[in-house]
Amino acid sequence: MPRFLNAILLLGASNNLFFSIYAQMIFPEPIIPNGNYSQLSRAGFPLFTPYPLFNPFQAIIPGQVFATPPAYAGTVQTCICVPIGTCTGTTVAPSNDGSGIIDIRIVNNPPSPTVPTAPCFTGLQRCCFPGPYKCGVRYPPVAGSPAAGPGQAPYGKYPWQAVLLGPGDVYQGSGVLVDALNVLTTAHKVANYSAVPAQLRVRMGEWNAAGDTEPLPAQEFVVSKIFIHPNFNPINLKNDVAVLRLTVAVPLGQLPTITTACLPVSAFVGQRCWVSGWGKNDFSGVYQTIQKEVDVPILDAAKCQSALAATRLGSAYVFDATSFICAGGEPGKDACTGDGGSPMVCEVNGQHFVAGLAAWGIGCAGSNVPGVYVNVLSFNAFIQTSISSS
């Protein structure tokens, strides 16, 4: 069953949620008079579309693609917008004289293409540091961020997580932004849209699905193409991986609530990692409006095999360690129904890597019953091929 649960929320879960007639949660969005509702964020800011609309965050030239945030012309550095006072460490530290924040008016550099820039939002400062943009970096929340309750994810803690929305703003599942143009998710969440990808939208920077309590606006992007793994099996969910190509590039570096996660280069067996999402708080529970989080340990294949064979799957069940990894098995902590495609990220030296994508399980949050996730490491070749294809 597509999978998120933290049992702490069972005492305080609210039933005052938005559902479609199929009990799916609605992620509301304002409607433009012409019906093209994908061009607005909840805060009313224009979003990035294939049309040449004015963009207050970054002037994107039609047809131009940024694989990474642009370095300013004539420099070898990356400049991003971060919460005021957090530009430290490997970045330029804040100062009381404007160093690293002001825009110098006289530049004498060798001729080079001019890269359009835009000012940071209120509460953010431009922060420049040597080297290229880094994936998987988490930034502190901006001033005025809403408080998180028990089991809820702090605002902006998972800036790589994508919400997948179908027609009518119906929540389909989750994904993870892996570069400016591509979102990784599970095939079982998007296979029905493969022939009509434009009906699927990706929302980044979301936290409260039913309100406007966030200090920075969420942004939406239309899907232009869906790459489904050629060996995906919808019956047993083997090879359950897909890549969504966006119509236009996400402007990385302009909001600390929207970044990319890193693809894995090694396994994370034995490490405790984090899953986030808006799925049900119990197998027969309700979808959550506030993003949740849960920490789970990644188990080795042998433990996955024995734990799952002890369930209704039976002793004949054979765990496919190429397609899957498993994590959890601790009572009251799991992903659950509605969390399909939610990233499980593991931290290494301050960067977060996508170890898995929530795929299926036997119930939710049972003792000694781990959840099952797509083994992202196994599919790096497919992911990279999809990303590089036209």
Side-chain angles (χ1 to χ4, degrees):
M1 57 216 64
R3 310 243 354 133
F4 181 81
L5 178 145
N6 193 319
I8 298 176
L9 270 155
L10 292 176
L11 297 177
S14 170
N15 291 317
N16 186 24
L17 304 178
F18 295 90
F19 298 96
S20 71
I21 59 174
Y22 298 107
Q24 292 177 292
M25 185 161 64
I26 304 298
F27 277 49
E29 199 71 13
I31 305 297
I32 291 181
N34 65 10
N36 194 349
Y37 48 78
S38 66
Q39 295 181 16
L40 279 185
S41 72
R42 267 205 309 277
F45 292 94
L47 295 170
F48 306 101
T49 73
Y51 311 105
L53 298 176
F54 173 71
N55 175 354
F57 310 117
Q58 179 181 21
I60 294 182
I61 301 171
Q64 183 179 12
V65 172
F66 292 131
T68 59
Y72 294 118
T75 66
V76 185
Q77 64 178 356
T78 298
C79 294
I80 57 178
C81 295
V82 300
I84 291 175
T86 62
C87 188
T88 59
T90 58
T91 62
V92 178
S95 67
N96 58 10
D97 63 1
S99 299
I101 303 174
I102 62 174
D103 296 313
I104 300 174
R105 290 296 179 235
I106 297 179
V107 179
N108 186 11
N109 290 321
S112 59
T114 300
V115 177
T117 62
C120 295
F121 273 88
T122 301
L124 304 177
Q125 69 179 92
R126 182 172 293 137
C127 186
C128 300
F129 52 92
Y133 172 85
K134 283 187 176 182
C135 61
V137 176
R138 177 181 286 159
Y139 300 101
V142 298
S145 294
Q152 295 175 350
Y155 173 64
K157 187 176 180 180
Y158 300 97
W160 39 77
Q161 181 152 20
V163 176
L164 309 183
L165 300 174
D169 288 331
V170 175
Y171 172 67
Q172 302 296 314
S174 284
V176 54
L177 189 68
V178 293
D179 72 12
L181 273 174
N182 295 279
V183 172
L184 181 64
T185 187
T186 50
H188 78 263
K189 283 293 182 181
V190 298
N192 290 340
Y193 291 92
S194 59
V196 285
Q199 290 187 8
L200 191 64
R201 291 175 291 122
V202 168
R203 184 180 296 177
M204 300 299 305
E206 182 62 278
W207 183 74
N208 181 356
D212 280 337
T213 58
E214 301 97 323
L216 297 174
Q219 299 179 25
E220 282 186 4
F221 304 86
V222 177
V223 175
S224 66
K225 194 170 185 179
I226 300 176
F227 302 90
I228 304 287
H229 193 283
N231 297 322
F232 167 57
N233 187 324
I235 305 301
N236 56 29
L237 294 191
K238 289 185 179 181
N239 305 301
D240 186 21
V241 61
V243 173
L244 309 179
R245 172 70 48 75
L246 304 180
T247 305
V248 294
V250 177
L252 300 175
Q254 293 190 341
L255 291 173
T257 51
I258 301 177
T259 65
T260 62
C262 307
L263 291 173
V265 294
S266 63
F268 297 93
V269 173
Q271 185 167 336
R272 188 167 286 271
C273 303
W274 291 87
V275 190
S276 52
W278 292 266
K280 290 187 177 182
N281 64 331
D282 197 356
F283 185 67
S284 58
V286 294
Y287 290 96
Q288 302 298 290
T289 57
I290 303 296
Q291 185 183 45
K292 296 188 301 178
E293 65 174 7
V294 65
D295 62 307
V296 289
I298 296 182
L299 309 181
D300 62 41
K303 289 182 180 178
C304 295
Q305 171 68 51
S306 59
L308 292 170
T311 69
R312 67 171 182 263
L313 291 172
S315 58
Y317 174 74
V318 178
F319 182 73
D320 182 352
T322 299
S323 284
F324 307 120
I325 56 176
C326 81
E330 301 172 337
K333 298 173 73 175
D334 198 359
C336 201
T337 304
D339 281 307
S342 290
M344 174 168 61
V345 295
C346 305
E347 183 179 358
V348 178
N349 297 324
Q351 289 183 280
H352 294 79
F353 296 81
V354 190
L357 303 169
W360 60 273
I362 303 298
C364 298
S367 180
N368 299 316
V369 183
V372 181
Y373 300 77
V374 174
N375 186 352
V376 175
L377 183 62
S378 293
F379 298 105
N380 266 343
F382 164 77
I383 295 167
Q384 295 292 357
T385 300
S386 300
I387 287 174
S388 62
S389 66
S390 58

